[in-house]
Amino acid sequence: MKDIDRIKELVKTLNYAAMKYYQEDTEIMSNFEYDKLYDELCKLEKDTGIVLSNSPTIKVGYEILSELPRERHESPMLSLDKTKDVDALVSWLGSNKGVISWKMDGLTVVLTYENGELVKAVTRGNGEIGEVITGNAKMFVNIPHRIGYKGKLIIRGEAVIRYSDFNRINDAITDVSAKYKNPRNLCSGSVRQLNNKITKERNVNFFAFNLVAGDDVDLGNSFNGQLDWLESQGFEVVEHYLTDGADLKDKVKMFSEKISGNDFPSDGLVLVLDDIAYGRSLGRTAKFPRDSMAFKWADEEAVTHLTDICWSASRTGLINPVAVFEPVELEGTTVSRASIHNVSIVRSLELGIGDEIAVYKANMIIPQISKNLTRSGSVEIPKSCPVCGGETEIRNEEGVETLYCTNEYCPAKKLKSFGHFVSRNAMNIDGLSESTLEKFIDSGYLDNFDDIYHLDRYKEEITGMEGFGDKSYAKLIEAVDISRKTTVARLLNGLGIQGVGEANAKVIARYFKNDLDKIINAGYDELVEIDGIGKIMAGDIVRYFENKENCDTIEKLRQELEFQIEKNTAEQIFEGMTFVVTGSLNHYDNRDNLKAEIESLGGKVAGSVSSKTSYLINNDVNSQSSKNKKARSLNVPVISEEDYIKLLS
């Protein structure tokens, strides 16, 4: 075990040194010291036969697939029977010994090794048939590519994305609608990518939890020994403990106390009989194996009284309701607030100040309202924004009602506007994160978009800020200067005109042959003639350019920018076709990437389904969503990503 720990330590140290040297021009160790540690790592890898996926001694090439092949599992992967009652768990274990561990909330993956090499990785799929993701699995940050054991080995484990990486990825997405809902969904999409470079960027982790088959491996008939042996081969194994009926309640309590500090998602615990032979002799039901049991946390509820609803304005103009109630103890902590998410939930709960409500912590972490016992329904939806006092409006998006501030100049929106302007599909200025923009706006460095191109006025102040120095300031100014060479479509997208996103910006720029003056002076009648630009959007565009302040900003920006013409040599196989994309994606990094591909091939991507729509892309082709229903009523084909990929060929 010492050798494995040293391998992990060396990999971490060498990778950090390389990152500092190549990315930050900082040398934290001499070449002599680096080579010495590198040679030590090579020797340990040779002696143990263990090579981790992120070892600096190997390089794995990226690959792009047209689709993921499917394969039947050698043995079916069943679900687990479950309980929320600790006493029932103790009763199930009886006089036996068991192994208790986290029930990780990710995507189950089966790995196969032959002659010490990882040769295959398959997702759980429907339990009978999964998708082959071998190239992607080799990108998991902690998975061994080679192990010391040379026989055929099949193991199961959970691929997960840590909360810290989930938050990092979501923070980089400026479009709220494109943000990922939870780490599990993000992990599923990351593991099942067609481009394993994206999998690598997502920092997927793998935790082994079961040895399915191993030629001539003597585990002493112990499931706990099985996990210990997997750890000796270099696998990161789920946290687990040997337990019995007398100790089990204490172990469950110990796990429950760790949840709030976990950086990985979990949705309960798993208890497995330690005696492997006895467990197998019990057989299985039609749905569950009899040698294991899942434990789900029983949601602890508390009854309290609602004292207020706070309406919190976001940077996007979205105004979120937050319930404030008399403090109660839940899962060992005091809570007094819970997000209600949207207007629809406020109305469905019929909330009113003073109502008696029941609250709980979802997965023992996130406070939620479970029910309203009084249902007075006296809460009024605010007609003015809590930040600027501007008029609000309720928008119905696919059956969900949300509240928005309509004031274009609401201070809460300013940060969002700048975030959109510098985003990848607009001006593409690297280094201006939301937190940095917030600091610059609060310090008075940024008021209008053109101020970005004069940040050099504040060099002394910026380099003195926490997190900034001469190097980071120089990189920021370099990124700003690179963005000066741009396209009319990028600028048009970055301005944030209502309804004009990346796709429509390209359509408008192409129609007016990239002549910004013609775009600014275009009339309503001319705009509605453009394919895909409807009456509402045409009106919004005209009103935007009728605003003198907007035109002044554009004029100032023109003094800073040099417009270029984008060249597109790809065959225009989607010319004249319009797509709508909805739902989560499995094969593309995000909707922006899919939209960009469609547009590069001559197609257009719209936000809503109409009679002009050629295809609606939705992986849940049979859902009853409003877009699916509308597509069917208009005889518009609803296709999955796999169907779309077939169109490419």
Side-chain angles (χ1 to χ4, degrees), residues 26-286:
T26 303
E27 193 170 308
I28 63 171
M29 64 174 64
S30 66
N31 288 339
F32 176 81
E33 186 178 1
Y34 183 93
D35 291 343
K36 180 181 176 183
L37 295 178
Y38 186 92
D39 290 343
E40 182 186 354
L41 175 61
C42 290
K43 185 176 187 305
L44 282 171
E45 289 178 343
K46 183 178 180 181
D47 292 345
T48 63
I50 296 170
V51 182
L52 301 181
S53 66
N54 57 342
S55 172
T57 65
I58 62 171
K59 294 290 183 184
V60 179
Y62 295 126
E63 62 178 347
I64 299 178
L65 304 175
S66 59
E67 62 179 14
L68 292 172
R70 287 169 170 76
E71 182 173 296
R72 184 173 294 277
H73 295 294
E74 292 189 14
S75 58
M77 300 176 65
L78 304 177
S79 301
L80 296 179
D81 199 2
K82 55 182 176 289
T83 181
K84 289 188 174 183
D85 186 349
V86 180
D87 289 329
L89 202 65
V90 172
S91 175
W92 178 85
L93 184 61
S95 60
N96 300 298
K97 287 189 175 182
V99 178
I100 190 165
S101 65
W102 290 113
K103 186 175 183 293
M104 310 292 270
D105 191 17
L107 190 72
T108 301
V109 176
V110 183
L111 303 180
T112 301
Y113 287 79
E114 293 179 359
N115 197 30
E117 297 277 347
L118 174 61
V119 295
K120 186 167 60 179
V122 184
T123 66
R124 181 185 188 277
N126 63 7
E128 298 280 345
I129 298 172
E131 292 175 310
V132 180
I133 54 151
T134 311
N136 291 347
K138 290 180 178 180
M139 299 298 158
F140 295 175
V141 295
N142 63 337
I143 206 169
H145 282 215
R146 292 195 289 272
I147 59 176
Y149 174 71
K150 301 305 178 186
K152 183 175 181 178
L153 178 70
I154 303 175
I155 68 170
R156 290 176 185 161
E158 198 81 353
V160 300
I161 287 181
R162 298 179 183 274
Y163 284 117
S164 53
D165 287 314
F166 171 75
N167 293 331
R168 170 183 60 81
I169 292 166
N170 256 356
D171 287 345
I173 301 172
T174 56
D175 182 359
V176 173
S177 66
K179 289 181 182 287
Y180 296 98
K181 299 293 186 294
N182 54 59
R184 189 188 187 284
N185 286 354
L186 174 59
C187 182
S188 177
S190 303
V191 168
R192 300 171 63 240
Q193 281 289 328
L194 292 177
N195 183 350
N196 64 4
K197 184 176 187 291
I198 295 170
T199 307
K200 176 73 171 179
E201 293 167 351
R202 299 282 180 80
N203 277 2
V204 180
N205 285 257
F206 178 83
F207 292 89
F209 60 67
N210 190 12
L211 192 158
V212 179
D215 297 340
D216 303 322
V217 178
D218 183 11
L219 303 171
N221 193 41
S222 167
F223 186 78
N224 192 58
Q226 181 186 98
L227 296 181
D228 289 346
W229 182 83
L230 287 174
E231 201 165 9
S232 75
Q233 294 298 308
F235 295 99
E236 197 159 349
V237 176
V238 289
E239 182 181 356
H240 61 282
Y241 300 93
L242 193 62
T243 186
D244 56 26
D247 173 60
L248 184 53
K249 286 187 178 181
D250 289 337
K251 285 292 190 293
V252 172
K253 184 174 184 293
M254 177 201 71
F255 274 105
S256 70
E257 291 169 347
K258 289 185 173 188
I259 288 178
S260 60
N262 278 353
D263 191 29
F264 56 81
S266 68
D267 57 355
L269 304 173
V270 176
L271 182 64
V272 183
L273 294 175
D274 186 53
D275 188 325
I276 296 174
Y278 174 62
R280 286 175 179 166
S281 73
L282 297 176
R284 47 176 273 196
T285 69

Side-chain angles (χ1 to χ4, degrees), residues 7 15 122 132 167 174 189 241 260 276 287 310 336 366 430 491 555 607 611-612:
I7 286 173
N15 283 342
V122 184
V132 180
N167 293 331
T174 56
Y241 300 93
S260 60
I276 296 174
K287 292 178 64 178
C310 292
S336 59
I366 305 167
D430 192 27
L491 174 62
E555 193 55 42
S611 58
K612 294 182 179 180

Side-chain angles (χ1 to χ4, degrees), residues 500-558:
V500 180
E502 182 189 7
N504 286 320
K506 289 180 178 178
V507 169
I508 295 167
R510 191 159 54 236
Y511 181 87
F512 289 103
K513 295 182 170 48
N514 297 293
D515 189 323
L516 189 55
D517 286 321
K518 287 184 178 180
I519 296 172
I520 293 171
N521 296 308
Y524 173 85
D525 291 338
E526 187 173 15
L527 287 167
V528 293
E529 289 298 316
I530 303 174
D531 184 35
I533 307 300
K535 295 178 180 179
I536 294 175
M537 191 187 304
D540 288 333
I541 294 169
V542 170
R543 279 189 292 275
Y544 181 89
F545 290 119
E546 283 177 345
N547 185 302
K548 185 177 182 302
E549 290 185 15
N550 292 337
C551 289
D552 288 344
T553 296
I554 294 170
E555 193 55 42
K556 290 175 182 176
L557 284 169
R558 292 175 77 169

